[in-house]
Amino acid sequence: FFRVVFVPKNTLPGDTYKVCLAMSEESVQVAVRMRVFNGREKEAGATRIVRMEQLLKGSKTYITNPETGAEKVFEYDYSFQTFDENDTSAGQYASQETVFETLGRPVMVSALEGRNVCLFAYGQTGAGKSFSMLGKPDQPGIIPRTCNAIFDRVAEESDPCYEHCVSIQVVEIYCEQINDLLANRKTWPDHGHKPYLTNHGYVVDTVKKPCFQYSDINEAFTFADGNRSVGSHALNPESSRAHTIYTISYERKKRAGGANGKVIETVVAKLNLVDLAGSERTSVAHTAGQMLKEGNAINLSLTALGSCIKSLSEGKKPQFRDSKLTLLLQGSMTNGRVIMIAALSPASICFDETMSTLRFADRIKQVKIKVSKNVTLDPVADIKKAMEEMKAQMQAEIDMLIAKGGGHGHEKSEEDDQLKAKLKEQQEEAEQMRLAYENRLRELTETADDRHKAAADIKDMQSKALGGASLTNKADIKVPHLRNLHEDPRLCETLLYTFKEGTTLIGRGGSDKAPDMEFNGMGIIRNHAEVKWQDGTVIITPGPRSRSLVNGRPIEGATELKHNFRLWLGNNYAFRFVYPGKEAHGDPQFGSDGPDYAFAEQEIAHNASLDIDVPAAQNMPKETLIMLSEALKKVEQANMIAKDLGRNTEFEVKMFKNRVSGQDDVAVTVKSGKGVCTWRWEKFEVKLSKFAIEWQRWERSEAANARYEPLKGEKDDPFVDNDPQLVGEADVWLQSLANMMEFDCDAPVISINSTTEGYAKVSLLPCDANGGTGPWEDDDPMDPFVDEPIELLETTIKFKVKISAVVFDTNKTGSICPYSNVWCRYVFDNQWTETPPVKGTTFNPNVGFEKEHSLYVDEKALEFLKTGRMILQVYADVRENPTSDEVEEEPDPELDAEIEKKKKILADLEKEVAQKRRLLAALL
């Protein structure tokens, strides 16, 4: 299409106008990319279920359901096959260079022309997002290639009237908290950075590093990765839970009369390169319902992003304020080019996750976004004009408030309060805008020397921010050192800690004698350990009451470190010890690559003495062992947090057989002053993230020698749990529905600890064509009964699920019922149904719930009816130590009617006995 520049009539030099595109809307460009199999998929014997076809215009991606063999096709702008260069049946192979030339180079061109660009990487954890965005040292991704290309173009500029400025910001969003990855973590605000409004949308006041060549950008990437590594070791947030936004700001200034002249034109663009958190599945059985609500607290950003995309595709107003991620991306998503790469696994065992990603990508391609160039003539005049407009608007609001309040004398009205609140909000936003304009004016007057000085100050700050870690190239280090291990391969070995000859002190900062290696995470104490390098030998000695492990075993005395030994400090700091020149004397079981994070974590579970009711760790399947080792580490972290914060709470791992999935699963037993309860693992992870944020507040208080103030109020305290608890689960077998027969049962309610808590009175009621549930007479044509289940094939059946009551076992709970507000939920055909809560406290809550369901019976559904079950869960508010005056038994109409009926029978029998006695007396 043609680009047309519209200039207002009679425009003079110094006037302000925007250069816009004649075609003002563009569709979001969507590309999908499939990666190679990972180790887990190879071990599982997975097969490839995805193939791709690149067309002259657009592309097609095909996915095959591994269970049914049915193939579904999706159409996108681009489909990149990076599975196998030699597998032509998978589609045309796409290298990193191909992806850059297709997507990255247009991004670079758009930025140089003054257009905002937002590039998303979306997909499940481990699907290859980071490889596409950042790549590897020998296979750089889109971000480094795009930045390199920008500096190549800048280097070609020969006109002294033009000045090019490039800078970078890197932030992460974790649990709706914005953190600056280019700043010292000790300077982070308690609750993260707060976005503020500018004329280009919402931004955050974080470190903005000036960059003069690509190596400056690369240094920022390296420091950000190191900062993420430090943070994850300190708090152990899931790598899949944090979004990372790399913002590259580009500005071209044109000056009148040469390098020192007045700025007469600016071209400004922002490249938001977004590595989204892993889009975890939340629809599996044990994370739906209540667990889903808790999980959404972490995945809020992804949910809000999906909602905004849906609104944009439907022409509705998006709610960008629903999350910090969408708030920061508002400017790019409403004015600029938007490109999304959907990364996916082609493995058969990942069918559901891959299908979910493809559907999301299919929805986003429908969005159209306005695009314009950010070109301004006389930017100083533009800013001053905007400031005057802002002042005029503020004065108008003040005048309106005065006029509104004048008619009421001294009385306050609700409208006045609302107006004042609105005015206050606008004044705050206006103040933010004013500061933004002042910052912009300062940027316009900056010289190259100012930018070089700012870059030097940032570099000096960063050199002191990683607690003794080095960002030097690994190959350049010739002395014994530690390399960090991380579950995210990209963050693995990004931090290098070198030992000096003699003694190296390790511990928490803030002591009188600063340690050589400073760690401030969970389980790290002051004087945590010391390492002596002397006569070619490296010895580590732990401090009193410190937690240090070598090769998965706790150490209490001096221990020699050899090449490729694994070292754990505190709860989360995992390292590989490297001794250049002494590799032959190290652990012989590894090749040149050395151990990874998974190995270091698994050997802890192998060596631990597990006080839980499961077989020995060495006999567990690998997947179970990984799950258990992760659980042990995180539960230990929770116990450390509770100890540091002075909370009387203890956490313990509990393994059980998940009744929904049939697989081994973990839960957490929580012991507190209120008693004992059990949390599902999903709930524990949500709580742990909140514990970690509260621990950060405590840690900052400790570092500043200030008094820690705990959160007040049960609502904000993460250690207080007022949520409904899972009492237990019951199985309702569906075999009767295979013959369309009524079925009543008292299904035992089994707790997560495998104890019977009571039973649920459940009925399955077949329905006829009119929805009736009988009874039917013999040979009634409406009777849905069938002699053989095969008669139901390719028909739609209807039935009702009726939950009459739940009866708790008084032998288990004692004479006083601890359960109140009981409710149930059950899963059928992968859909959960919840009952309303039964108010009050009673051993026999009358649920009285009934719902009709319909099911199309194919072969799979028929087999499910013949052999399957419906899982029913019972939830309640649980009081650990209830007293008799707290409990009010709720009337049970059915029970009362049964009692009255039996009383009547007893009275009739008494009458009959009395009559026979009188008759006998007369005979005698």
Side-chain angles (χ1 to χ4, degrees), residues 285-286 288-291 658-660 680 726-730 749 803 806 823-827 832-833 835 870-875:
H286 59 283
Q290 182 67 20
M291 297 301 119
N658 190 307
R659 298 168 62 81
V660 177
R680 289 275 195 180
L726 176 64
V727 179
E729 297 177 334
V749 176
I803 306 173
V806 175
W823 56 277
C824 305
R825 68 173 188 152
Y826 60 90
V827 61
W832 285 91
T833 299
T835 71
M870 182 181 78
I871 304 292
L872 182 141
Q873 295 180 334
V874 179
Y875 284 85

PDB file of all heavy atoms in Angstrom, residues 285-286 288-291 658-660 680 726-730 749 803 806 823-827 832-833 835 870-875:
ATOM      1  N   ALA A 285      -8.753 -31.701  35.973  1.00  0.00           N
ATOM      2  CA  ALA A 285      -9.768 -31.924  36.997  1.00  0.00           C
ATOM      3  C   ALA A 285      -9.423 -31.312  38.338  1.00  0.00           C
ATOM      4  O   ALA A 285     -10.248 -30.671  38.961  1.00  0.00           O
ATOM      5  CB  ALA A 285      -9.995 -33.426  37.164  1.00  0.00           C
ATOM      6  N   HIS A 286      -8.190 -31.502  38.810  1.00  0.00           N
ATOM      7  CA  HIS A 286      -7.916 -31.088  40.177  1.00  0.00           C
ATOM      8  C   HIS A 286      -7.555 -29.617  40.298  1.00  0.00           C
ATOM      9  O   HIS A 286      -7.189 -29.162  41.374  1.00  0.00           O
ATOM     10  CB  HIS A 286      -6.814 -31.955  40.792  1.00  0.00           C
ATOM     11  CG  HIS A 286      -5.516 -31.903  40.051  1.00  0.00           C
ATOM     12  ND1 HIS A 286      -5.300 -32.582  38.877  1.00  0.00           N
ATOM     13  CD2 HIS A 286      -4.373 -31.248  40.329  1.00  0.00           C
ATOM     14  CE1 HIS A 286      -4.067 -32.364  38.469  1.00  0.00           C
ATOM     15  NE2 HIS A 286      -3.489 -31.555  39.326  1.00  0.00           N
ATOM     16  N   ALA A 288      -9.742 -27.210  38.788  1.00  0.00           N
ATOM     17  CA  ALA A 288     -10.930 -26.458  38.408  1.00  0.00           C
ATOM     18  C   ALA A 288     -11.621 -25.946  39.656  1.00  0.00           C
ATOM     19  O   ALA A 288     -11.169 -26.139  40.764  1.00  0.00           O
ATOM     20  CB  ALA A 288     -11.865 -27.346  37.594  1.00  0.00           C
ATOM     21  N   GLY A 289     -12.790 -25.293  39.457  1.00  0.00           N
ATOM     22  CA  GLY A 289     -13.592 -24.810  40.586  1.00  0.00           C
ATOM     23  C   GLY A 289     -12.807 -23.869  41.475  1.00  0.00           C
ATOM     24  O   GLY A 289     -12.217 -22.891  41.040  1.00  0.00           O
ATOM     25  N   GLN A 290     -12.778 -24.184  42.763  1.00  0.00           N
ATOM     26  CA  GLN A 290     -12.128 -23.320  43.737  1.00  0.00           C
ATOM     27  C   GLN A 290     -10.649 -23.163  43.433  1.00  0.00           C
ATOM     28  O   GLN A 290     -10.089 -22.070  43.536  1.00  0.00           O
ATOM     29  CB  GLN A 290     -12.314 -23.905  45.148  1.00  0.00           C
ATOM     30  CG  GLN A 290     -11.712 -23.060  46.257  1.00  0.00           C
ATOM     31  CD  GLN A 290     -12.428 -21.739  46.433  1.00  0.00           C
ATOM     32  OE1 GLN A 290     -13.563 -21.582  46.005  1.00  0.00           O
ATOM     33  NE2 GLN A 290     -11.763 -20.779  47.036  1.00  0.00           N
ATOM     34  N   MET A 291      -9.996 -24.266  43.041  1.00  0.00           N
ATOM     35  CA  MET A 291      -8.573 -24.181  42.732  1.00  0.00           C
ATOM     36  C   MET A 291      -8.323 -23.274  41.534  1.00  0.00           C
ATOM     37  O   MET A 291      -7.323 -22.577  41.456  1.00  0.00           O
ATOM     38  CB  MET A 291      -8.006 -25.575  42.430  1.00  0.00           C
ATOM     39  CG  MET A 291      -8.065 -26.536  43.587  1.00  0.00           C
ATOM     40  SD  MET A 291      -7.177 -25.932  45.029  1.00  0.00           S
ATOM     41  CE  MET A 291      -8.502 -25.856  46.209  1.00  0.00           C
ATOM     42  N   ASN A 658      -4.094 -39.437  43.537  1.00  0.00           N
ATOM     43  CA  ASN A 658      -5.119 -38.514  43.060  1.00  0.00           C
ATOM     44  C   ASN A 658      -6.278 -39.317  42.469  1.00  0.00           C
ATOM     45  O   ASN A 658      -6.117 -40.053  41.499  1.00  0.00           O
ATOM     46  CB  ASN A 658      -4.521 -37.579  42.004  1.00  0.00           C
ATOM     47  CG  ASN A 658      -5.461 -36.446  41.631  1.00  0.00           C
ATOM     48  OD1 ASN A 658      -6.613 -36.676  41.279  1.00  0.00           O
ATOM     49  ND2 ASN A 658      -4.960 -35.228  41.704  1.00  0.00           N
ATOM     50  N   ARG A 659      -7.470 -39.173  43.046  1.00  0.00           N
ATOM     51  CA  ARG A 659      -8.612 -39.984  42.642  1.00  0.00           C
ATOM     52  C   ARG A 659      -9.158 -39.561  41.285  1.00  0.00           C
ATOM     53  O   ARG A 659      -9.875 -40.326  40.624  1.00  0.00           O
ATOM     54  CB  ARG A 659      -9.704 -39.895  43.711  1.00  0.00           C
ATOM     55  CG  ARG A 659      -9.253 -40.433  45.058  1.00  0.00           C
ATOM     56  CD  ARG A 659     -10.231 -40.059  46.154  1.00  0.00           C
ATOM     57  NE  ARG A 659     -11.542 -40.634  45.929  1.00  0.00           N
ATOM     58  CZ  ARG A 659     -11.875 -41.895  46.228  1.00  0.00           C
ATOM     59  NH1 ARG A 659     -10.962 -42.701  46.741  1.00  0.00           N
ATOM     60  NH2 ARG A 659     -13.089 -42.345  46.010  1.00  0.00           N
ATOM     61  N   VAL A 660      -8.856 -38.325  40.860  1.00  0.00           N
ATOM     62  CA  VAL A 660      -9.332 -37.858  39.556  1.00  0.00           C
ATOM     63  C   VAL A 660      -8.406 -38.337  38.442  1.00  0.00           C
ATOM     64  O   VAL A 660      -8.836 -38.891  37.440  1.00  0.00           O
ATOM     65  CB  VAL A 660      -9.449 -36.322  39.541  1.00  0.00           C
ATOM     66  CG1 VAL A 660      -9.861 -35.830  38.163  1.00  0.00           C
ATOM     67  CG2 VAL A 660     -10.453 -35.863  40.593  1.00  0.00           C
ATOM     68  N   ARG A 680      -4.331 -28.689  48.948  1.00  0.00           N
ATOM     69  CA  ARG A 680      -3.919 -29.196  47.645  1.00  0.00           C
ATOM     70  C   ARG A 680      -2.635 -28.482  47.225  1.00  0.00           C
ATOM     71  O   ARG A 680      -2.365 -27.357  47.641  1.00  0.00           O
ATOM     72  CB  ARG A 680      -5.014 -28.939  46.612  1.00  0.00           C
ATOM     73  CG  ARG A 680      -6.243 -29.801  46.787  1.00  0.00           C
ATOM     74  CD  ARG A 680      -6.058 -31.129  46.118  1.00  0.00           C
ATOM     75  NE  ARG A 680      -7.311 -31.849  45.967  1.00  0.00           N
ATOM     76  CZ  ARG A 680      -7.408 -33.029  45.405  1.00  0.00           C
ATOM     77  NH1 ARG A 680      -6.327 -33.603  44.910  1.00  0.00           N
ATOM     78  NH2 ARG A 680      -8.567 -33.638  45.307  1.00  0.00           N
ATOM     79  N   LEU A 726     -11.430 -28.925  51.547  1.00  0.00           N
ATOM     80  CA  LEU A 726     -11.906 -30.167  50.946  1.00  0.00           C
ATOM     81  C   LEU A 726     -12.013 -31.218  52.047  1.00  0.00           C
ATOM     82  O   LEU A 726     -11.011 -31.663  52.599  1.00  0.00           O
ATOM     83  CB  LEU A 726     -10.944 -30.626  49.849  1.00  0.00           C
ATOM     84  CG  LEU A 726     -11.266 -31.976  49.204  1.00  0.00           C
ATOM     85  CD1 LEU A 726     -12.597 -31.908  48.464  1.00  0.00           C
ATOM     86  CD2 LEU A 726     -10.156 -32.399  48.254  1.00  0.00           C
ATOM     87  N   VAL A 727     -13.256 -31.614  52.365  1.00  0.00           N
ATOM     88  CA  VAL A 727     -13.461 -32.647  53.390  1.00  0.00           C
ATOM     89  C   VAL A 727     -13.088 -34.012  52.832  1.00  0.00           C
ATOM     90  O   VAL A 727     -12.430 -34.823  53.490  1.00  0.00           O
ATOM     91  CB  VAL A 727     -14.928 -32.637  53.866  1.00  0.00           C
ATOM     92  CG1 VAL A 727     -15.148 -33.730  54.916  1.00  0.00           C
ATOM     93  CG2 VAL A 727     -15.298 -31.275  54.441  1.00  0.00           C
ATOM     94  N   GLY A 728     -13.505 -34.293  51.607  1.00  0.00           N
ATOM     95  CA  GLY A 728     -13.184 -35.575  51.001  1.00  0.00           C
ATOM     96  C   GLY A 728     -13.865 -35.740  49.658  1.00  0.00           C
ATOM     97  O   GLY A 728     -14.590 -34.849  49.191  1.00  0.00           O
ATOM     98  N   GLU A 729     -13.615 -36.896  49.032  1.00  0.00           N
ATOM     99  CA  GLU A 729     -14.165 -37.199  47.714  1.00  0.00           C
ATOM    100  C   GLU A 729     -14.900 -38.531  47.745  1.00  0.00           C
ATOM    101  O   GLU A 729     -14.560 -39.416  48.534  1.00  0.00           O
ATOM    102  CB  GLU A 729     -13.043 -37.261  46.674  1.00  0.00           C
ATOM    103  CG  GLU A 729     -12.305 -35.953  46.472  1.00  0.00           C
ATOM    104  CD  GLU A 729     -11.156 -36.067  45.492  1.00  0.00           C
ATOM    105  OE1 GLU A 729     -10.610 -37.190  45.336  1.00  0.00           O
ATOM    106  OE2 GLU A 729     -10.809 -35.045  44.878  1.00  0.00           O
ATOM    107  N   ALA A 730     -15.900 -38.643  46.869  1.00  0.00           N
ATOM    108  CA  ALA A 730     -16.676 -39.878  46.775  1.00  0.00           C
ATOM    109  C   ALA A 730     -16.745 -40.308  45.312  1.00  0.00           C
ATOM    110  O   ALA A 730     -16.737 -39.469  44.403  1.00  0.00           O
ATOM    111  CB  ALA A 730     -18.080 -39.674  47.336  1.00  0.00           C
ATOM    112  N   VAL A 749     -17.376 -40.798  51.671  1.00  0.00           N
ATOM    113  CA  VAL A 749     -16.563 -39.600  51.443  1.00  0.00           C
ATOM    114  C   VAL A 749     -15.188 -39.848  52.050  1.00  0.00           C
ATOM    115  O   VAL A 749     -15.058 -39.939  53.281  1.00  0.00           O
ATOM    116  CB  VAL A 749     -17.228 -38.346  52.064  1.00  0.00           C
ATOM    117  CG1 VAL A 749     -16.320 -37.132  51.889  1.00  0.00           C
ATOM    118  CG2 VAL A 749     -18.588 -38.102  51.425  1.00  0.00           C
ATOM    119  N   ILE A 803     -28.284 -34.959  44.572  1.00  0.00           N
ATOM    120  CA  ILE A 803     -27.510 -35.076  45.813  1.00  0.00           C
ATOM    121  C   ILE A 803     -28.451 -34.671  46.940  1.00  0.00           C
ATOM    122  O   ILE A 803     -28.781 -33.491  47.103  1.00  0.00           O
ATOM    123  CB  ILE A 803     -26.259 -34.181  45.793  1.00  0.00           C
ATOM    124  CG1 ILE A 803     -25.409 -34.480  44.549  1.00  0.00           C
ATOM    125  CG2 ILE A 803     -25.431 -34.393  47.051  1.00  0.00           C
ATOM    126  CD1 ILE A 803     -24.241 -33.522  44.367  1.00  0.00           C
ATOM    127  N   VAL A 806     -25.502 -34.955  52.807  1.00  0.00           N
ATOM    128  CA  VAL A 806     -24.208 -35.478  53.234  1.00  0.00           C
ATOM    129  C   VAL A 806     -24.344 -35.816  54.709  1.00  0.00           C
ATOM    130  O   VAL A 806     -24.897 -35.027  55.494  1.00  0.00           O
ATOM    131  CB  VAL A 806     -23.077 -34.465  53.012  1.00  0.00           C
ATOM    132  CG1 VAL A 806     -21.760 -34.996  53.576  1.00  0.00           C
ATOM    133  CG2 VAL A 806     -22.913 -34.146  51.535  1.00  0.00           C
ATOM    134  N   TRP A 823     -20.875 -27.552  50.876  1.00  0.00           N
ATOM    135  CA  TRP A 823     -21.292 -27.578  49.478  1.00  0.00           C
ATOM    136  C   TRP A 823     -20.520 -28.685  48.757  1.00  0.00           C
ATOM    137  O   TRP A 823     -19.486 -29.141  49.230  1.00  0.00           O
ATOM    138  CB  TRP A 823     -21.099 -26.229  48.779  1.00  0.00           C
ATOM    139  CG  TRP A 823     -19.713 -25.674  48.816  1.00  0.00           C
ATOM    140  CD1 TRP A 823     -19.145 -24.964  49.833  1.00  0.00           C
ATOM    141  CD2 TRP A 823     -18.706 -25.762  47.791  1.00  0.00           C
ATOM    142  NE1 TRP A 823     -17.847 -24.608  49.508  1.00  0.00           N
ATOM    143  CE2 TRP A 823     -17.562 -25.078  48.264  1.00  0.00           C
ATOM    144  CE3 TRP A 823     -18.670 -26.347  46.525  1.00  0.00           C
ATOM    145  CZ2 TRP A 823     -16.398 -24.971  47.502  1.00  0.00           C
ATOM    146  CZ3 TRP A 823     -17.509 -26.243  45.776  1.00  0.00           C
ATOM    147  CH2 TRP A 823     -16.394 -25.554  46.265  1.00  0.00           C
ATOM    148  N   CYS A 824     -21.090 -29.107  47.652  1.00  0.00           N
ATOM    149  CA  CYS A 824     -20.492 -30.201  46.885  1.00  0.00           C
ATOM    150  C   CYS A 824     -20.226 -29.747  45.455  1.00  0.00           C
ATOM    151  O   CYS A 824     -20.816 -28.782  44.972  1.00  0.00           O
ATOM    152  CB  CYS A 824     -21.419 -31.422  46.858  1.00  0.00           C
ATOM    153  SG  CYS A 824     -21.917 -32.032  48.479  1.00  0.00           S
ATOM    154  N   ARG A 825     -19.369 -30.476  44.796  1.00  0.00           N
ATOM    155  CA  ARG A 825     -19.195 -30.304  43.359  1.00  0.00           C
ATOM    156  C   ARG A 825     -18.841 -31.664  42.775  1.00  0.00           C
ATOM    157  O   ARG A 825     -18.257 -32.512  43.451  1.00  0.00           O
ATOM    158  CB  ARG A 825     -18.129 -29.263  43.023  1.00  0.00           C
ATOM    159  CG  ARG A 825     -16.712 -29.654  43.377  1.00  0.00           C
ATOM    160  CD  ARG A 825     -15.716 -28.641  42.847  1.00  0.00           C
ATOM    161  NE  ARG A 825     -14.344 -29.105  43.007  1.00  0.00           N
ATOM    162  CZ  ARG A 825     -13.346 -28.755  42.225  1.00  0.00           C
ATOM    163  NH1 ARG A 825     -13.559 -27.927  41.225  1.00  0.00           N
ATOM    164  NH2 ARG A 825     -12.124 -29.199  42.419  1.00  0.00           N
ATOM    165  N   TYR A 826     -19.234 -31.869  41.539  1.00  0.00           N
ATOM    166  CA  TYR A 826     -18.936 -33.135  40.895  1.00  0.00           C
ATOM    167  C   TYR A 826     -18.544 -32.874  39.452  1.00  0.00           C
ATOM    168  O   TYR A 826     -18.901 -31.849  38.862  1.00  0.00           O
ATOM    169  CB  TYR A 826     -20.124 -34.099  40.965  1.00  0.00           C
ATOM    170  CG  TYR A 826     -21.395 -33.608  40.307  1.00  0.00           C
ATOM    171  CD1 TYR A 826     -21.666 -33.868  38.967  1.00  0.00           C
ATOM    172  CD2 TYR A 826     -22.338 -32.885  41.034  1.00  0.00           C
ATOM    173  CE1 TYR A 826     -22.833 -33.423  38.358  1.00  0.00           C
ATOM    174  CE2 TYR A 826     -23.509 -32.433  40.442  1.00  0.00           C
ATOM    175  CZ  TYR A 826     -23.755 -32.697  39.112  1.00  0.00           C
ATOM    176  OH  TYR A 826     -24.900 -32.252  38.505  1.00  0.00           O
ATOM    177  N   VAL A 827     -17.791 -33.803  38.878  1.00  0.00           N
ATOM    178  CA  VAL A 827     -17.308 -33.653  37.514  1.00  0.00           C
ATOM    179  C   VAL A 827     -17.926 -34.738  36.653  1.00  0.00           C
ATOM    180  O   VAL A 827     -17.935 -35.913  37.012  1.00  0.00           O
ATOM    181  CB  VAL A 827     -15.763 -33.707  37.440  1.00  0.00           C
ATOM    182  CG1 VAL A 827     -15.222 -35.033  37.940  1.00  0.00           C
ATOM    183  CG2 VAL A 827     -15.270 -33.436  36.019  1.00  0.00           C
ATOM    184  N   TRP A 832     -17.323 -29.339  35.658  1.00  0.00           N
ATOM    185  CA  TRP A 832     -17.637 -29.355  37.091  1.00  0.00           C
ATOM    186  C   TRP A 832     -18.953 -28.633  37.338  1.00  0.00           C
ATOM    187  O   TRP A 832     -19.240 -27.603  36.745  1.00  0.00           O
ATOM    188  CB  TRP A 832     -16.527 -28.672  37.889  1.00  0.00           C
ATOM    189  CG  TRP A 832     -15.286 -29.491  38.027  1.00  0.00           C
ATOM    190  CD1 TRP A 832     -14.201 -29.492  37.199  1.00  0.00           C
ATOM    191  CD2 TRP A 832     -14.998 -30.444  39.055  1.00  0.00           C
ATOM    192  NE1 TRP A 832     -13.253 -30.369  37.642  1.00  0.00           N
ATOM    193  CE2 TRP A 832     -13.713 -30.966  38.791  1.00  0.00           C
ATOM    194  CE3 TRP A 832     -15.684 -30.884  40.179  1.00  0.00           C
ATOM    195  CZ2 TRP A 832     -13.115 -31.922  39.608  1.00  0.00           C
ATOM    196  CZ3 TRP A 832     -15.083 -31.840  40.993  1.00  0.00           C
ATOM    197  CH2 TRP A 832     -13.810 -32.349  40.704  1.00  0.00           C
ATOM    198  N   THR A 833     -19.743 -29.174  38.255  1.00  0.00           N
ATOM    199  CA  THR A 833     -20.999 -28.570  38.683  1.00  0.00           C
ATOM    200  C   THR A 833     -20.946 -28.384  40.196  1.00  0.00           C
ATOM    201  O   THR A 833     -20.581 -29.308  40.934  1.00  0.00           O
ATOM    202  CB  THR A 833     -22.201 -29.464  38.322  1.00  0.00           C
ATOM    203  OG1 THR A 833     -22.250 -29.625  36.904  1.00  0.00           O
ATOM    204  CG2 THR A 833     -23.506 -28.837  38.797  1.00  0.00           C
ATOM    205  N   THR A 835     -22.863 -27.163  43.892  1.00  0.00           N
ATOM    206  CA  THR A 835     -24.144 -26.979  44.569  1.00  0.00           C
ATOM    207  C   THR A 835     -24.076 -25.722  45.425  1.00  0.00           C
ATOM    208  O   THR A 835     -22.986 -25.325  45.852  1.00  0.00           O
ATOM    209  CB  THR A 835     -24.469 -28.171  45.473  1.00  0.00           C
ATOM    210  OG1 THR A 835     -23.590 -28.145  46.617  1.00  0.00           O
ATOM    211  CG2 THR A 835     -24.285 -29.482  44.727  1.00  0.00           C
ATOM    212  N   MET A 870     -18.168 -41.009  38.489  1.00  0.00           N
ATOM    213  CA  MET A 870     -18.291 -39.564  38.665  1.00  0.00           C
ATOM    214  C   MET A 870     -17.639 -39.215  40.000  1.00  0.00           C
ATOM    215  O   MET A 870     -17.936 -39.823  41.029  1.00  0.00           O
ATOM    216  CB  MET A 870     -19.770 -39.162  38.674  1.00  0.00           C
ATOM    217  CG  MET A 870     -20.024 -37.686  38.810  1.00  0.00           C
ATOM    218  SD  MET A 870     -21.810 -37.326  38.836  1.00  0.00           S
ATOM    219  CE  MET A 870     -22.212 -37.775  40.518  1.00  0.00           C
ATOM    220  N   ILE A 871     -16.718 -38.250  39.980  1.00  0.00           N
ATOM    221  CA  ILE A 871     -16.039 -37.824  41.199  1.00  0.00           C
ATOM    222  C   ILE A 871     -16.867 -36.732  41.857  1.00  0.00           C
ATOM    223  O   ILE A 871     -17.200 -35.722  41.230  1.00  0.00           O
ATOM    224  CB  ILE A 871     -14.629 -37.297  40.904  1.00  0.00           C
ATOM    225  CG1 ILE A 871     -13.802 -38.352  40.162  1.00  0.00           C
ATOM    226  CG2 ILE A 871     -13.938 -36.873  42.191  1.00  0.00           C
ATOM    227  CD1 ILE A 871     -13.461 -39.551  40.980  1.00  0.00           C
ATOM    228  N   LEU A 872     -17.205 -36.927  43.127  1.00  0.00           N
ATOM    229  CA  LEU A 872     -17.942 -35.911  43.888  1.00  0.00           C
ATOM    230  C   LEU A 872     -17.070 -35.444  45.045  1.00  0.00           C
ATOM    231  O   LEU A 872     -16.495 -36.273  45.768  1.00  0.00           O
ATOM    232  CB  LEU A 872     -19.258 -36.496  44.417  1.00  0.00           C
ATOM    233  CG  LEU A 872     -20.164 -35.520  45.190  1.00  0.00           C
ATOM    234  CD1 LEU A 872     -21.629 -35.767  44.847  1.00  0.00           C
ATOM    235  CD2 LEU A 872     -19.969 -35.663  46.702  1.00  0.00           C
ATOM    236  N   GLN A 873     -16.931 -34.133  45.196  1.00  0.00           N
ATOM    237  CA  GLN A 873     -16.114 -33.569  46.274  1.00  0.00           C
ATOM    238  C   GLN A 873     -17.011 -32.809  47.246  1.00  0.00           C
ATOM    239  O   GLN A 873     -17.973 -32.148  46.838  1.00  0.00           O
ATOM    240  CB  GLN A 873     -15.049 -32.620  45.719  1.00  0.00           C
ATOM    241  CG  GLN A 873     -14.024 -33.317  44.840  1.00  0.00           C
ATOM    242  CD  GLN A 873     -12.979 -32.356  44.286  1.00  0.00           C
ATOM    243  OE1 GLN A 873     -13.231 -31.158  44.140  1.00  0.00           O
ATOM    244  NE2 GLN A 873     -11.805 -32.876  43.967  1.00  0.00           N
ATOM    245  N   VAL A 874     -16.683 -32.910  48.534  1.00  0.00           N
ATOM    246  CA  VAL A 874     -17.436 -32.230  49.589  1.00  0.00           C
ATOM    247  C   VAL A 874     -16.523 -31.182  50.222  1.00  0.00           C
ATOM    248  O   VAL A 874     -15.422 -31.502  50.683  1.00  0.00           O
ATOM    249  CB  VAL A 874     -17.927 -33.221  50.659  1.00  0.00           C
ATOM    250  CG1 VAL A 874     -18.686 -32.475  51.762  1.00  0.00           C
ATOM    251  CG2 VAL A 874     -18.813 -34.288  50.024  1.00  0.00           C
ATOM    252  N   TYR A 875     -16.978 -29.925  50.218  1.00  0.00           N
ATOM    253  CA  TYR A 875     -16.236 -28.811  50.818  1.00  0.00           C
ATOM    254  C   TYR A 875     -17.030 -28.260  52.002  1.00  0.00           C
ATOM    255  O   TYR A 875     -18.266 -28.365  52.044  1.00  0.00           O
ATOM    256  CB  TYR A 875     -16.011 -27.693  49.808  1.00  0.00           C
ATOM    257  CG  TYR A 875     -14.936 -27.978  48.789  1.00  0.00           C
ATOM    258  CD1 TYR A 875     -15.215 -28.700  47.634  1.00  0.00           C
ATOM    259  CD2 TYR A 875     -13.638 -27.524  48.983  1.00  0.00           C
ATOM    260  CE1 TYR A 875     -14.237 -28.967  46.698  1.00  0.00           C
ATOM    261  CE2 TYR A 875     -12.648 -27.775  48.040  1.00  0.00           C
ATOM    262  CZ  TYR A 875     -12.942 -28.497  46.909  1.00  0.00           C
ATOM    263  OH  TYR A 875     -11.966 -28.756  45.992  1.00  0.00           O
TER     264      TYR A 875
END
